Amino acid sequence: MCFLGDILQELIMGKVACAMKPPEAETEIWSIRHINSLPQEILFSVFKFVSFADLRRIVLVCRHWREVGEDPVLWKRLKLVVDKPEMPILRCILSIKRLACLEHLEVNGYGYSGDTAVIDADNAEVILKTKVSKLTLKHCDVSKVTPEDLDKLINNLGSLVLWQTVLNKVQIGSIFKSVIRSERLKELDIGYSYIDLASIEPEILAAALNKVKKVNLGHTKLSPSQLKTLFKYISSETMIKNLDIGYRDLGVVQTEILKSALKNLEKANICSTKLITTPYILSYKYLTKSSPK
């Protein structure tokens, strides 16, 4: 009650009375000062200011608070992490009322005897029926998902993050064709997937990545031809703002093309080795501002 009382004090009328039954003479005052007498819309507005940890406690206070606190809008920005043992009940988890507007889903397959978490056709169908716009898959096996379902997933997403995720060759090729068709995808992070992309046509790879604002290709395998084509696209016109393409030799790219491409980026990691534990981030705008004239 204490933290909600402080919020209400600023929003409505000052100090809120303690939640105990008042003398009969003060009944009229109590009726407008007791928190449960507030309109549901005001209580909902208060709940929007609390953390998800507090929101979990709020829905346990009473039936009225649970009714308000279960509103899916309050939970839409929650990052839901589903671990490998919970995958068999993914459908039940995502059918919970409060998660109806969930935007960020992470499936975590790390830490369970080295085996990956399997995303099969049924799991893909369940995710497709949600409002998830950011999907993070860590140590997962997606090879059983059809290219058609993978295409539908990508078309629904604004962000796709793949860490050590198992994909078959057909899926790897179809992903970038799906990215080209997508109108929503703004982030593609496959830097820690360790995927071999060398078999993808350079023009298809470059055209797909050029539509995405934030791209991480850090530890993927790319051919010299792909690198040349990608930076040629970026040097001309690009939607990419943040590019991580480090941990590889960019000597195959002409210096002038590389310089021209960096001018079109806000941030880029082009470091050939990993420094300590954090990639070195090269900001072209920062360098041009700080360099002596």
Side-chain angles (χ1 to χ4, degrees):
M1 288 294 293
C2 183
F3 67 92
L4 288 174
D6 291 338
I7 295 174
L8 288 172
Q9 179 178 347
E10 296 181 8
L11 292 179
I12 305 175
M13 61 180 69
K15 187 176 181 180
V16 177
C18 296
M20 59 176 64
K21 187 175 180 180
E24 294 297 328
E26 299 179 13
T27 301
E28 293 184 4
I29 298 178
W30 176 263
S31 67
I32 63 172
R33 290 171 68 90
H34 188 271
I35 190 167
N36 280 346
S37 68
L38 292 171
Q40 186 166 308
E41 294 78 7
I42 299 296
L43 198 58
F44 175 83
S45 297
V46 173
F47 288 173
K48 288 196 296 185
F49 288 91
V50 305
S51 67
F52 290 117
D54 287 332
L55 203 52
R56 290 188 184 99
R57 299 184 185 98
I58 280 173
V59 297
L60 300 176
V61 172
C62 65
R63 186 178 299 175
H64 179 55
W65 283 27
R66 184 180 185 86
E67 181 181 348
V68 178
E70 287 276 357
D71 193 306
V73 175
L74 294 173
W75 298 85
K76 66 182 298 184
R77 300 198 183 281
L78 170 73
K79 176 184 175 182
L80 177 66
V81 180
V82 178
D83 293 322
K84 181 185 172 183
E86 299 166 332
M87 289 305 295
I89 59 170
L90 180 64
R91 184 182 298 273
C92 295
I93 293 173
L94 294 180
S95 65
I96 296 173
K97 175 187 174 183
R98 70 181 70 167
L99 302 179
C101 295
L102 183 74
E103 293 181 339
H104 189 179
L105 173 65
E106 176 179 312
V107 179
N108 176 34
Y110 286 119
Y112 298 96
S113 305
D115 296 331
T116 57
V118 177
I119 308 292
D120 56 22
D122 290 337
N123 298 141
E125 180 186 357
V126 171
I127 296 173
L128 278 169
K129 291 180 179 179
T130 69
K131 296 183 181 296
V132 170
S133 59
K134 180 172 184 177
L135 180 63
T136 301
L137 303 180
K138 295 182 177 180
H139 200 49
C140 293
D141 184 347
V142 192
S143 60
K144 295 183 179 179
V145 178
T146 65
E148 292 76 18
D149 283 344
L150 199 56
D151 178 69
K152 293 176 184 177
L153 275 173
I154 292 173
N155 283 329
N156 287 345
L157 297 175
S159 172
L160 177 61
V161 180
L162 303 177
W163 286 20
Q164 292 187 314
T165 299
V166 179
L167 296 160
N168 59 48
K169 289 186 178 180
V170 175
Q171 290 174 322
I172 293 173
S174 68
I175 282 177
F176 291 91
K177 293 177 182 177
S178 298
V179 173
I180 291 176
R181 292 190 292 269
S182 174
E183 299 295 333
R184 300 183 60 187
L185 196 69
K186 304 301 179 186
E187 177 184 14
L188 181 62
D189 183 348
I190 55 175
Y192 292 96
S193 63
Y194 301 95
I195 297 174
D196 185 349
L197 303 176
S199 62
I200 300 174
E201 286 292 329
E203 293 290 336
I204 292 177
L205 181 75
L209 297 177
N210 222 39
K211 291 188 61 180
V212 184
K213 289 186 177 181
K214 187 175 181 180
V215 177
N216 182 2
L217 299 173
H219 296 282
T220 58
K221 184 177 180 180
L222 297 170
S223 69
S225 178
Q226 289 173 324
L227 290 171
K228 291 177 184 178
T229 305
L230 176 59
F231 278 98
K232 183 179 178 181
Y233 268 67
I234 297 174
S235 65
S236 176
E237 185 177 358
T238 185
M239 292 183 65
I240 301 175
K241 299 299 180 184
N242 191 329
L243 174 66
D244 186 340
I245 197 168
Y247 324 127
R248 72 190 77 243
D249 182 9
L250 297 180
V252 296
V253 183
Q254 293 181 16
T255 303
E256 291 305 315
I257 290 180
L258 186 59
K259 286 182 178 179
S260 179
L262 289 175
K263 289 181 181 179
N264 291 334
L265 299 173
E266 293 179 357
K267 288 184 179 181
N269 174 20
I270 58 172
C271 191
S272 58
T273 58
K274 192 170 184 179
L275 303 179
I276 312 177
T277 57
T278 306
Y280 174 73
I281 300 298
L282 169 65
S283 173
Y284 182 86
K285 291 184 177 180
Y286 174 77
L287 289 178
T288 53
K289 289 180 180 179
S290 60
S291 58
K293 296 182 180 180

